[in-house]
Amino acid sequence: CTCFDSPGNGIQNRSFRYAGWTFSRSICTGFRVCLGRDIAKLRWITKRPSWDRFTLPHTGDWSLAFDGKDNSVVVPALAWDGHEPMTLETVFVWSGGGTAFVAGQTGIDGFWLEIRDDMLWVRKGREASLAVGASLAFAQGKRVHAAAVWDGKEVRLYANGVRVTGHYEASWKEDPPDQGADGFRIGLAGDHGFTGTIETVRVSKGARYTSDFTPEQALPLKPETNTLCLLDFENGEGETVADSSGNQHHGRIHGATWQAMWPCPISEA
């Protein structure tokens, strides 16, 4: 992928000390145009990067690790009307690699999150997919809360509570990965495998987020009246992921392994 930066695009490195530790972060401004084999796209980089935090609220004691090859979770009973508003959100740590399917369902009525060309995307539908993307340059190896919202008219993407700017249509030369008849999937669609860990996934009816929010307002994810499915990955063992929404949309684990998580001892307060 060849990238061209605008004159205002620059990186500011900032650091601070806390409890004897030194933490640093980078802030980018401006925009970047990238021309790749599959797509020409405009990368908007906000002045307030959504992943400049070094912690997120604790989501639980367990996560699932995916190897980027053939690991997945399948939720066969979960389906929805693609015309109705909905929200798909997850917390994950991406370890890098090529194109990766995070979670969702592809196809004509599909709605899903994926990683492509170091960008996090939400896509709606197969034909002339409406897509919103955010650069993941500073998020690799860090925990990210991604919330994809379809309000019936437009798609919105929130990364760690901040709405991603740059709302435009993007058309890939290749079709979205085919999921077959499996329905809702996590970590793999076609040959697009996710490498890293996923902590929780929630699917809700309606547009849950309409403006920026703090991660503390969203996490940990809990079942609500409009929740269709909540996989909090708190089993810690076995080959099934329990649906905490009460709707019996349990997931089947294929190869992914349980991984214990530990809360961060440093508060962001």
Side-chain angles (χ1 to χ4, degrees):
C1 182
T2 302
C3 297
F4 305 90
D5 291 342
S6 70
N9 191 37
I11 298 177
Q12 303 175 16
N13 294 313
R14 299 181 181 179
S15 62
F16 63 97
R17 292 184 61 81
Y18 184 93
W21 292 81
T22 299
F23 299 91
S24 63
R25 67 181 182 178
S26 299
I27 296 179
C28 273
T29 60
F31 65 86
R32 172 176 297 172
V33 176
C34 292
L35 302 176
R37 177 171 54 85
D38 298 327
I39 183 175
K41 57 182 174 287
L42 178 66
R43 291 190 180 187
W44 289 102
I45 306 176
T46 65
K47 293 182 179 180
R48 181 176 45 152
S50 50
W51 25 74
D52 59 352
R53 297 173 51 132
F54 55 87
T55 66
L56 286 178
H58 193 49
T59 60
D61 297 326
W62 293 93
S63 65
L64 276 177
F66 298 79
D67 67 359
K69 299 177 182 178
D70 57 2
N71 291 180
S72 67
V73 173
V74 178
V75 189
L78 179 59
W80 58 77
D81 183 344
H83 301 289
E84 296 296 324
M86 67 177 302
T87 302
L88 166 64
E89 54 192 313
T90 180
V91 176
F92 66 87
V93 177
W94 178 55
S95 299
T99 300
F101 186 88
V102 182
Q105 180 173 326
T106 65
I108 296 176
D109 293 327
F111 189 55
W112 69 96
L113 287 160
E114 68 176 25
I115 297 169
R116 179 187 293 266
D117 295 335
D118 292 337
M119 296 183 72
L120 173 66
W121 292 88
V122 54
R123 296 180 63 182
K124 176 72 176 71
R126 180 181 294 271
E127 299 297 332
S129 299
L130 185 63
V132 177
S135 172
L136 278 175
F138 304 123
Q140 184 172 330
K142 298 180 181 180
R143 298 173 67 228
V144 173
H145 172 233
V149 175
W150 164 246
D151 66 4
K153 295 182 179 179
E154 70 170 358
V155 170
R156 297 192 296 274
L157 173 63
Y158 297 86
N160 289 358
V162 177
R163 182 177 178 180
V164 174
T165 58
H167 187 200
Y168 51 93
E169 285 193 0
S171 181
W172 279 263
K173 292 180 180 178
E174 62 181 83
D175 285 335
D178 186 12
Q179 295 183 207
D182 284 337
F184 191 90
R185 297 179 64 98
I186 300 168
L188 178 69
D191 59 356
H192 297 170
F194 175 87
T195 303
T197 58
I198 298 179
E199 301 176 16
T200 182
V201 176
R202 181 171 66 182
V203 180
S204 307
K205 293 185 293 184
R208 193 178 188 281
Y209 303 107
T210 57
S211 60
D212 288 2
F213 56 91
T214 66
E216 287 78 10
Q217 292 175 301
L219 301 175
L221 301 180
K222 299 292 185 181
E224 300 174 348
T225 302
N226 290 330
T227 303
L228 292 175
C229 178
L230 173 57
L231 305 179
D232 55 19
F233 297 167
E234 285 303 285
N235 302 56
E237 61 180 5
E239 297 181 357
T240 301
V241 179
D243 175 15
S244 299
S245 72
N247 294 321
Q248 305 300 308
H249 293 143
H250 307 304
R252 298 196 304 261
I253 301 173
H254 299 274
T257 57
W258 294 102
Q259 180 170 304
M261 298 192 302
W262 306 101
C264 179
I266 301 176
S267 171
E268 288 209 346

